[in-house]
Amino acid sequence: MPQFPNTRLRRLRAYDWSRRLVRETRLTPDDLIWTVVVSDSADPTEPVASMPGVERLSVKAAAKAAREARDLGIPAIAIFPHIDPAHKDEAGTEALNRDGLVARAVRAMKDAAPEVGLICDVALDPFTTHGHDGVLKDGRILNDETVEKLIAQAIVQAEAGCDVIAPSDMMDGRIGAIRASLDSAGQQDTMIMSYAAKYASAFYGPYRDAIGSAKALTGDKKTYQMDPGNSDEALREVAMDIEEGADMVMVKPGLPYLDIVARVKAEFAMPTYVFQVSGEYAMIQAAAAQGWIDGERVMMESLAAFKRAGADGILTYFAPRAARALHG
């Protein structure tokens, strides 16, 4: 490589136009998936205290959000439910309700903006009184019994009009079982985005507040979510889910796991997504509120980092705000 003074890398950084010409990674609204929490509340919106700027949305407000996503060029919305405690039980029965909150939200959002893709979370934690993702017995999460419930939940969501089923539970074998059952139910065109490398992270706290499971959660999820110290295991998880029929794979959380995103994309060359989770969002918002960081710049820099690591798209609570910034 030529040496200084013949080579001066700063020359290309001197002007806005030259920096744009040589930029290697570009973020666009096409890279964003808006994460939305829907609620049965009579109020159109409810603020989430631990996530400034995020609100739980009524079904009607969620339909309005779908139109907003369409107008901003955001291609998809990921839906997460805040279930009335009166509808929760030990088994998460409400997850199978064909006229439940998720199904009604999906139908309303599809009616409002059919061109926006809808991604539905498949797990039992929003629906259980204990806050775990699966069937709990004697302090243990039962894998195979949980998978049977996830199959039924996925079919309910697909029949309601969900475009992408996104199992976030981390049970072994659930992708293959859900794929086979969707196909048998005539839902062979429904896609699966697997939470393939989901870590037992401390960054999920504000999300559990948003869906109302934080106080209910008994113990932790370390027996089924991944150990934050593991990297090779993530590749094994991703490989298994691809083999079982996943159309897309996801790494969760985001910024602390950029190395995993990069390894997964390089190894498999599959559509790879990353979830900028609630704790990441809340930290940026809290620091910005104190004036310690430029919130707008940090938001955009963090999203660009996911693209630079190899992600094809980002699930983020910042999606509408980032899309507006990208539109100038």
Side-chain angles (χ1 to χ4, degrees):
M1 179 176 176
Q3 300 298 308
F4 177 85
N6 291 333
T7 298
R8 294 176 183 263
L9 294 179
R10 286 186 54 192
R11 279 195 287 259
L12 295 174
R13 304 171 194 154
Y15 308 100
D16 176 68
W17 63 263
S18 59
R19 292 191 296 272
R20 284 159 43 210
L21 276 177
V22 301
R23 186 166 295 146
E24 299 170 30
T25 302
R26 285 178 172 79
L27 182 74
T28 77
D30 290 340
D31 300 313
L32 304 174
I33 297 171
W34 185 2
T35 48
V36 164
V37 178
V38 296
S39 171
D40 258 333
S41 172
D43 297 323
T45 61
E46 294 178 332
V48 178
S50 57
M51 300 178 69
V54 170
E55 298 174 318
R56 302 185 191 102
L57 305 179
S58 68
V59 170
K60 186 175 181 180
K64 182 179 178 182
R67 290 191 290 269
E68 182 180 359
R70 175 198 62 200
D71 295 343
L72 288 170
I74 298 170
I77 294 175
I79 303 168
F80 301 89
H82 176 273
I83 302 298
D84 187 325
H87 295 153
K88 296 185 179 186
D89 60 22
E90 282 271 318
T93 307
E94 182 64 15
L96 314 185
N97 185 353
R98 282 182 159 78
D99 197 37
L101 173 61
V102 173
R104 287 185 284 110
V106 166
R107 289 194 288 265
M109 294 166 81
K110 272 298 175 187
D111 285 345
E115 56 272 80
V116 175
L118 298 182
I119 302 169
C120 291
D121 178 66
V122 174
L124 299 184
D125 54 320
F127 304 93
T128 59
T129 50
H130 49 71
H132 278 284
D133 296 42
V135 177
L136 183 66
K137 184 177 181 181
D138 299 329
R140 293 180 61 247
I141 299 299
L142 304 182
N143 191 95
D144 298 1
E145 291 83 348
T146 297
V147 171
E148 291 303 312
K149 284 186 171 290
L150 300 177
I151 289 169
Q153 182 184 16
I155 290 173
V156 165
Q157 294 175 348
E159 290 178 346
C162 186
D163 300 293
V164 182
I165 299 300
S168 66
D169 57 286
M170 289 300 286
M171 298 299 118
D172 292 330
R174 89 273 201 216
I175 299 301
I178 291 171
R179 180 73 274 163
S181 298
L182 287 172
D183 291 355
S184 295
Q187 298 291 337
Q188 61 272 9
D189 293 332
T190 303
M191 292 172 270
I192 295 179
M193 176 188 284
S194 170
Y195 286 62
K198 181 179 179 181
Y199 286 82
S201 171
F203 282 87
Y204 304 146
Y207 166 76
R208 291 172 183 159
D209 179 25
I211 66 166
S213 71
K215 294 180 181 178
L217 182 62
T218 56
D220 56 48
K221 303 188 178 186
K222 294 178 181 178
T223 64
Y224 52 100
Q225 295 178 356
M226 283 186 56
D227 188 322
N230 292 357
S231 176
D232 292 343
E233 184 188 12
L235 299 188
R236 292 168 60 196
E237 286 279 9
V238 171
M240 289 174 65
D241 287 358
I242 293 171
E243 181 69 22
E244 291 178 21
D247 301 287
M248 300 167 270
V249 296
M250 185 204 300
V251 175
K252 181 181 181 183
L255 280 180
Y257 297 89
L258 290 180
D259 60 318
I260 309 300
V261 176
R263 287 195 69 185
V264 168
K265 186 61 177 180
E267 178 75 17
F268 300 103
M270 279 283 290
T272 301
Y273 294 82
V274 63
F275 202 138
Q276 185 180 44
V277 299
S278 59
E280 298 172 66
Y281 172 91
M283 288 192 303
I284 292 172
Q285 290 291 78
Q290 293 296 322
W292 297 335
I293 61 172
D294 181 330
E296 195 82 358
R297 287 186 62 192
V298 171
M299 171 186 72
M300 300 305 288
E301 186 176 339
S302 67
L303 296 173
F306 297 128
K307 288 292 293 180
R308 191 181 67 246
D312 296 290
I314 307 142
L315 288 81
T316 177
Y317 299 92
F318 283 124
R321 180 172 154 193
R324 291 187 196 98
L326 290 166
H327 285 304

